[in-house]
Amino acid sequence: MLIYNPKDWWKLIFYFHKADTFRKLLPAMLGVMAYTAFISYLENDIFHFLPLKNPLAIHSLVGFVLSLLLVFRTNSSYDRWWEGRKIWGGFTNNSRNLALKLSAILPEGHDSKEIFRVLIGNYIHAVKDHLRGNVNHKHLEYIANYDEAFYVNYKHTPNRIGQAIYLEINRLYKSGVINAEQLLILNNELSSFTDNLGACERIRNTPIPSSYNIFIKKMIFLYVFTMPFGFVLEFKHWAAPIVTLIFYAFAGIEMIAEEIEDPFGTDNNDLQLDSIVKNVKGNLVEIFRS
């Protein structure tokens, strides 16, 4: 995720990075400009006229409808991004709450404190990698019985770590370290981990319907590539930069919507999951070692 100052207008206006929509769209923009310039040459220098009255009327109407579609598309994608951020805020809060409760319940210096620190940190880390599709057991911290062999042959690593946390809680309950009332207090936080993971998987595995996505791209293509025929009559050779600018606006909005609809990746506009995981692990160390 790109960190920036939203109040620094001039820096943002003239700032370009490798994921910027302008850089990505530049080849297409040059193609649109060349295409429009060619149409302008044909209409202005070869045919000299085109039998159209009020040539901008159709594109004005279609542009309004297309703008509404793009607004809905962007809002849908941003809702997914913001929901993902709220879920990861829940992961952070649940990790802290569970750690605080366990730290208060368990006796001073109890070995299980360090085990829970490792397991909870591993769970958050594994969820991040799971959502990005690159889970690697070597990225986890091993402790006690929960070594590399514990995770072998398990495709869903977060579930395996969640199972380990439940096993530890159950072991403490059976040994009398925690009682039934304390077990109920801990259960809400334990259940919320799985609920949050399921919500993240729902966002990741349920993209915007393909027919809607394809339709918008087709409309942008038809709108932009028919635009020169009317705009050239009205703006002459100035139609080339005008059409290019309109293409950049519409295509850029669509590209931004595509990028943020899956907020768990590593693009500049995705959630800053690495920092969230690092922050949670730091909190766990402070809580269990205090």
Side-chain angles (χ1 to χ4, degrees):
M1 183 178 181
L2 180 66
I3 306 299
Y4 66 98
N5 179 9
K7 297 181 180 179
D8 195 350
W9 277 59
W10 289 108
K11 184 177 179 180
L12 294 177
I13 291 172
F14 295 104
Y15 176 71
F16 297 98
H17 52 87
K18 64 180 181 180
D20 189 81
T21 52
F22 184 85
R23 287 181 181 271
K24 292 182 178 179
L25 288 173
L26 184 58
M29 290 168 60
L30 293 176
V32 170
M33 181 174 289
Y35 167 75
T36 306
F38 177 69
I39 298 297
S40 176
Y41 168 72
L42 291 180
E43 291 192 14
N44 290 321
D45 301 328
I46 303 299
F47 299 109
H48 300 291
F49 75 94
L50 196 65
L52 286 176
K53 294 182 179 180
N54 196 8
L56 302 183
I58 296 177
H59 281 87
S60 298
L61 294 173
V62 175
F64 176 74
V65 175
L66 184 57
S67 298
L68 292 179
L69 288 173
L70 287 172
V71 168
F72 178 77
R73 171 81 165 95
T74 306
N75 287 343
S76 299
S77 297
Y78 182 76
D79 285 343
R80 293 162 61 90
W81 187 93
W82 183 240
E83 184 180 1
R85 182 61 187 90
K86 290 192 293 184
I87 293 170
W88 271 88
F91 271 127
T92 301
N93 294 337
N94 294 334
S95 301
R96 292 169 177 168
N97 286 331
L98 181 59
L100 288 168
K101 292 175 182 178
L102 287 170
S103 179
I105 292 172
L106 295 176
E108 187 69 27
H110 198 280
D111 293 341
S112 292
K113 286 190 174 184
E114 185 65 10
I115 293 176
F116 281 118
R117 180 194 68 79
V118 171
L119 289 179
I120 297 173
N122 279 348
Y123 186 85
I124 300 300
H125 193 110
V127 168
K128 179 201 70 173
D129 288 349
H130 172 72
L131 294 174
R132 292 177 175 176
N134 60 352
V135 175
N136 188 343
H137 296 158
K138 297 186 183 298
H139 295 165
L140 304 178
E141 188 176 351
Y142 303 134
I143 190 171
N145 296 326
Y146 309 110
D147 55 8
E148 186 173 5
F150 181 79
Y151 301 105
V152 173
N153 298 326
Y154 280 85
K155 295 181 179 180
H156 202 292
T157 304
N159 277 350
R160 185 59 168 163
I161 301 173
Q163 183 184 33
I165 296 175
Y166 272 102
L167 288 173
E168 281 298 306
I169 293 290
N170 188 56
R171 182 178 66 82
L172 293 174
Y173 173 67
K174 287 185 176 181
S175 62
V177 177
I178 61 176
N179 56 40
E181 290 77 11
Q182 292 169 333
L183 183 63
L184 289 175
I185 293 174
L186 296 173
N187 185 64
N188 290 334
E189 306 301 339
L190 295 172
S191 299
S192 63
F193 280 128
T194 304
D195 293 339
N196 287 335
L197 174 58
C200 288
E201 290 177 332
R202 170 175 51 81
I203 294 174
R204 187 195 63 176
N205 298 329
T206 311
I208 301 295
S210 59
S211 58
Y212 184 77
N213 209 337
I214 294 172
F215 176 76
I216 290 182
K217 287 179 171 56
K218 287 181 178 178
M219 286 298 299
I220 292 176
F221 177 83
L222 292 174
Y223 182 78
V224 171
F225 278 83
T226 57
M227 186 179 293
F229 294 99
F231 273 54
V232 165
L233 296 177
E234 190 74 21
F235 301 108
K236 303 301 180 182
H237 295 292
W238 284 102
I242 293 174
V243 172
T244 302
L245 181 61
I246 294 174
F247 169 74
Y248 171 65
F250 282 168
I253 292 173
E254 171 64 11
M255 287 185 66
I256 292 172
E258 287 178 353
E259 187 171 319
I260 66 175
E261 71 179 11
D262 181 8
F264 307 122
T266 57
D267 294 328
N268 281 343
N269 289 314
D270 289 334
L271 296 174
Q272 202 172 4
L273 298 188
D274 292 318
S275 295
I276 295 176
V277 171
K278 182 179 180 180
N279 182 51
V280 169
K281 288 184 175 181
N283 293 156
L284 293 173
V285 171
E286 289 182 353
I287 292 171
F288 281 115
R289 292 181 180 175
S290 60

